[in-house]
Amino acid sequence: MNYHWHWSILVEQPYLSWLAHGLAVTLTLSGLAWLIALPLGTLIAVLRTGPWKIGRVIGACYVRVFRNVPLIVQMFLWFFVFPEVVPKTFGFFLKRQLPFPEFTMGLLCLSFYSASRLAETIRSGLETAGSGPKNAALASGLSYVKTYRFVLLPMAFRLVIPPLTSEFLAIFKNSSVALAIGVLEITAESHQIESFTFQGFEAFTAATVLYALISLMCLILAGLFKRYLSNAGGLGAEVAIK
Amino acid sequence: MIMIEAVDKWYGQLQVLSECSASIDQGEVVVVCGPSGSGKSTLIKCINGLEEFQKGQITVDREPIKSASTNIYKLRSKVGMVFQNFELYPHLTSIENITLAPMKVLKRSREECVQRARKLLQQVGLSAHGEKYPSQLSGGQQQRVAIARSLAMDPIVMLFDEPTSALDPEMINEVLDVMVDLAKSGMTMVVVTHEMGFAQRVGSRVIFMDAGKIVEDRKCPDFFSNPNSDRAKAFLSKIVKH
């Protein structure tokens, strides 16, 4: 192999600012997607396990639709198909007037997709929390909303911190799929550096290291959060088993 | 205080309660006993609406359970319930377990609730354990906290669903002592239990169930000295043998 290594390209302009821009986009996209997906996923999980039949049906349909279609297909659907099937004026707004159209549609897509996965994770936590504490809360006169708010969800979140951490990381990694509709995040910027300089090894090494650093930071944060929760009434193993 | 009128309940094809009728007056301690699967727990869960029933009616404090005009949550807040597996909220301390419902349902102030909770913990002999989480308490201690939690709502009647079945023999007595004190203080109680000693000490009546039917409903001493039905005789001879 006759490859000219040229690592310094990563600190040269404009490539350094391209990477910095990519990093900023990845962090913003994933961070915002997380902020939307967590409450949405929680809501869907509550609907799926709740007492109202219509809610259970809505929750199940949501999860089936968004979890069973590949993310990249959903990206294309949101960006190319969705603006065509909504009423004309709204479609026009999406195509012509929406600020940062790729980013916005990518964000919506990633959020809705991640919410379906989070919903399943949180649902497993709600089901592990079990019917016992739920019955106890209802028997004391708490409404379903308050039972979820004060008993079931706090229990469920403590139980699912490890899988929730994986989901958090998955959102970061899945954000790279948004390059398919033209969002210039880390992977796309690295690809661009490769196209301009033919230094693909260096460019994608940079992307790899950035993703790894982000993931590592998330793991440390999750660890701290877990320690904080186990000081404040963490669930012992006996609850997880019961 | 509680009227149970011709209650029928099915799980699909399986009839678990048939033609159950009984009435419980203020200050009575009614012990519900019978073999496993005879419908004891199901019957008392019907009293606060945790289980639905298809036919008949249950009236608590002159309010019918099955009625559109009844606020089931309000009704439940007046009926305390203690479960076989304690069902404390594992992410909350004893004090927080006790104060949750009074604060969120009765909208009492935190200070008032905490003060009351400490008094109740003292009453069940656990003053030193207010700040502990359920996982740090023994089974007997957890069940006593659960009793205090129910009492904090100032219930007009207390339902006990096999409160000592999940406890080892040493702990059974510490829970029964609390229940005996409660009975002597004039609390109306419905107790599903196999503890015939408790029934003989403080029970005013025994309801004996078999296969979803109330087979006997007798004054306490009569039931033990002179059971009417063959089924109750067989049951008693078996449990008194050891």
Side-chain angles (χ1 to χ4, degrees):
Chain A
M1 195 174 77
N2 199 7
Y3 186 80
H4 293 283
W5 292 95
H6 189 30
W7 287 101
S8 62
I9 194 143
L10 295 176
V11 291
E12 279 171 21
Q13 289 299 0
Y15 311 119
L16 181 63
S17 22
W18 288 3
L19 279 176
H21 175 260
L23 179 64
V25 170
T26 292
L27 288 174
T28 323
L29 183 62
S30 331
L32 288 176
W34 176 254
L35 286 181
I36 299 173
L38 189 61
L40 184 61
T42 307
L43 177 70
I44 300 291
V46 169
L47 285 178
R48 275 204 88 174
T49 57
W52 305 283
K53 183 147 192 253
I54 180 84
R56 289 201 295 270
V57 171
I58 292 173
C61 288
Y62 181 94
V63 169
R64 260 169 224 159
V65 168
F66 285 95
R67 204 170 57 143
N68 292 348
V69 178
L71 179 58
I72 193 160
V73 175
Q74 293 191 36
M75 284 283 174
F76 289 139
L77 287 173
W78 277 95
F79 194 62
F80 296 113
V81 180
F82 184 61
E84 304 297 334
V85 295
V86 293
K88 248 196 174 127
T89 42
F90 185 52
F92 182 80
F93 166 78
L94 288 178
K95 282 188 280 191
R96 296 290 165 82
Q97 291 159 329
L98 191 68
F100 313 110
E102 299 89 0
F103 182 88
T104 311
M105 289 317 234
L107 173 62
L108 285 177
C109 175
L110 189 61
S111 306
F112 279 64
Y113 171 77
S114 305
S116 70
R117 300 179 42 130
L118 285 174
E120 287 300 274
T121 306
I122 296 163
R123 178 171 76 112
S124 75
L126 287 170
E127 277 167 6
T128 311
S131 58
K134 179 173 164 183
N135 275 344
L138 290 174
S140 67
L142 290 167
S143 63
Y144 270 99
V145 172
K146 284 179 180 166
T147 298
Y148 271 95
R149 163 72 184 80
F150 296 111
V151 177
L152 294 177
L153 284 173
M155 283 181 73
F157 275 112
R158 281 167 171 80
L159 288 165
V160 298
I161 289 175
L164 220 51
T165 313
S166 305
E167 286 301 324
F168 192 32
L169 296 179
I171 291 184
F172 271 104
K173 288 174 286 185
N174 285 338
S175 71
S176 62
V177 176
L179 82 86
I181 56 169
V183 178
L184 289 174
E185 41 64 71
I186 295 178
T187 314
E189 294 282 14
S190 304
H191 187 58
Q192 203 178 351
I193 295 175
E194 196 259 352
S195 311
F196 272 68
T197 64
F198 303 108
Q199 301 292 336
F201 281 105
E202 292 83 342
F204 285 110
T205 304
T208 309
V209 169
L210 286 175
Y211 279 119
L213 283 177
I214 294 173
S215 298
L216 196 64
M217 264 161 37
C218 294
L219 284 175
I220 292 171
L221 278 179
L224 288 175
F225 187 58
K226 192 170 182 192
R227 197 173 313 158
Y228 162 75
L229 274 188
S230 54
N231 288 338
L235 307 185
E238 73 280 12
V239 177
I241 293 161
K242 201 173 78 188
Chain B
M1 169 144 315
I2 297 175
M3 287 284 293
I4 303 170
E5 294 160 273
V7 167
D8 284 352
K9 178 178 171 63
W10 286 269
Y11 285 123
Q13 293 292 307
L14 180 72
Q15 184 161 17
V16 287
L17 293 177
S18 68
E19 289 282 316
C20 289
S21 296
S23 80
I24 293 146
D25 293 330
Q26 174 131 29
E28 272 193 309
V29 176
V30 175
V31 172
V32 183
C33 64
S36 297
S38 57
K40 315 178 293 284
S41 295
T42 310
L43 182 67
I44 73 161
K45 280 183 181 154
C46 285
I47 295 177
N48 64 355
L50 280 184
E51 292 273 4
E52 290 179 351
F53 48 93
Q54 282 80 18
K55 263 182 161 173
Q57 183 62 277
I58 296 180
T59 317
V60 179
D61 198 24
R62 287 186 294 279
E63 271 194 274
I65 292 257
K66 273 178 80 166
S67 158
S69 62
T70 301
N71 180 345
I72 188 73
Y73 300 107
K74 193 155 179 236
L75 193 147
R76 279 177 187 154
S77 72
K78 295 190 284 185
V79 180
M81 186 156 203
V82 174
F83 297 83
Q84 183 174 1
N85 292 315
F86 332 133
E87 311 301 1
L88 293 178
Y89 313 132
H91 60 294
L92 301 177
T93 62
S94 305
I95 292 275
E96 289 166 339
N97 261 281
I98 298 170
T99 54
L100 180 69
M103 276 166 58
K104 302 300 171 191
V105 178
L106 305 178
K107 311 278 182 204
R108 291 182 184 157
S109 75
R110 178 182 297 272
E111 298 75 54
E112 188 190 351
C113 291
V114 170
Q115 214 170 22
R116 181 82 209 287
R118 292 205 188 283
K119 238 180 236 162
L120 286 166
L121 279 178
Q122 196 178 10
Q123 185 184 334
V124 299
L126 293 172
S127 338
H129 301 280
E131 271 65 41
K132 286 190 183 162
Y133 289 98
S135 58
Q136 298 167 302
L137 299 172
S138 73
Q141 291 169 331
Q142 288 189 50
Q143 192 61 298
R144 285 185 282 157
V145 173
I147 293 173
R149 176 175 68 178
S150 293
L151 291 174
M153 294 294 285
D154 300 318
I156 55 171
V157 52
M158 288 278 284
L159 310 174
F160 292 81
D161 185 7
E162 304 205 25
T164 55
S165 305
L167 297 172
D168 67 43
E170 267 182 293
M171 295 174 184
I172 288 180
N173 283 323
E174 65 188 48
V175 172
L176 287 179
D177 287 344
V178 169
M179 289 169 61
V180 167
D181 287 346
L182 201 56
K184 285 181 177 160
S185 75
M187 174 65 77
T188 311
M189 292 162 70
V190 183
V191 187
V192 174
T193 187
H194 297 295
E195 296 295 330
M196 291 303 130
F198 171 82
Q200 283 170 317
R201 263 172 83 191
V202 292
S204 23
R205 260 168 50 215
V206 174
I207 289 178
F208 178 75
M209 292 185 70
D210 185 39
K213 289 195 180 75
I214 293 179
V215 180
E216 292 204 31
D217 182 352
R218 305 274 303 280
K219 287 251 178 282
C220 214
D222 300 351
F223 176 77
F224 291 105
S225 60
N226 186 22
N228 275 337
S229 61
D230 293 340
R231 189 65 191 86
K233 278 175 198 160
F235 180 79
L236 281 176
S237 72
K238 269 181 204 143
I239 57 170
V240 179
K241 201 156 61 182
H242 297 289

